[in-house]
Amino acid sequence: MTTALKETVGRYGIWSVGLRSEDPDRRGEIAEAASELEELGYGAVWLGGNSSAANAAPLIEATSKLTVGTSIQSIWQHEPDAAATAFGDLESAHPGRFLLGLGVSHAKRVEQYSRPYSALVGHLDGLDAAGVPAERRLLAALGPKSLRLARDRAAGSIPYLVTPEHTAHAREILGEAPLLAPELGVIPETDPARARALAREFLAIYLPLPNYTNNFLRHGFTEDDLLDGGSDRLVDALFAWGDDTAIRAKIDAFFEAGADHLALQVLGGEPRDALPRKAWRDLASALA
């Protein structure tokens, strides 16, 4: 099943907060954007924020084969039974088109945050009991324990804000079969100062979160790399920026490290909920 999943999502997808918008005035724009992404050859869309099957449904309905996944659905805000019901309804209407991406979020964002690994195991137990198949769910796994859980009880991992080195580490733990689909921020800007400034602006909401910073420290970065918005070394490891050749080289580094698919998040200084459709077109052209 995982081989079929890899073929279904292809090598490239788009990660977006804007595509999960629940604003009724944006429904037409979102449907058009999803349809265009499918035409451009992207195999999947990954919905940022605490997304759900309800957020995925409009994109699936607007397309014919695009896979849509949550990235991520917080285990603290969605009970297993409710998540399973929503999964089942969407699966009945559009078989094989939805992937349930799950994660534990962050202590600073969840009041009831406690023993996240045990809570994730319990959540998976609940999904098992409610009939959500392991091969249709993915875990936003960063550390070794979570990666082993993604290997054993899901179809693979969708890690966020990681490096090629983390990808190689994740592949070693997952083994060959599970899907490994990291998110990668893409900044189509050739001026180094401007590109790194955009990266640091984006990083500002993540550097206060220990789940990410601990992961950076596990993979060779130091406390100094976390200061002042992130060192050049950290920024350059985490983001693909520059001209098409430089961006393609960073993307290739993730595949060489063991990624099966990349969830590409285009960052050009727009609001987080923007739909950078021209940038998505340009990126598709560069990847062709």
Side-chain angles (χ1 to χ4, degrees), residues 112-149:
Q112 68 270 39
Y113 199 90
S114 176
R115 302 182 65 203
Y117 179 82
S118 296
L120 180 56
V121 170
H123 194 87
L124 293 174
D125 291 341
L127 292 176
D128 285 345
V132 178
E135 62 267 22
R136 299 294 299 286
R137 60 200 193 203
L138 297 158
L139 304 185
L142 293 176
K145 288 177 63 177
S146 294
L147 284 164
R148 288 191 288 270
L149 196 64

Side-chain angles (χ1 to χ4, degrees), residues 80-96:
D81 286 347
T85 297
F87 174 90
D89 290 345
L90 194 51
E91 178 67 11
S92 295
H94 303 281

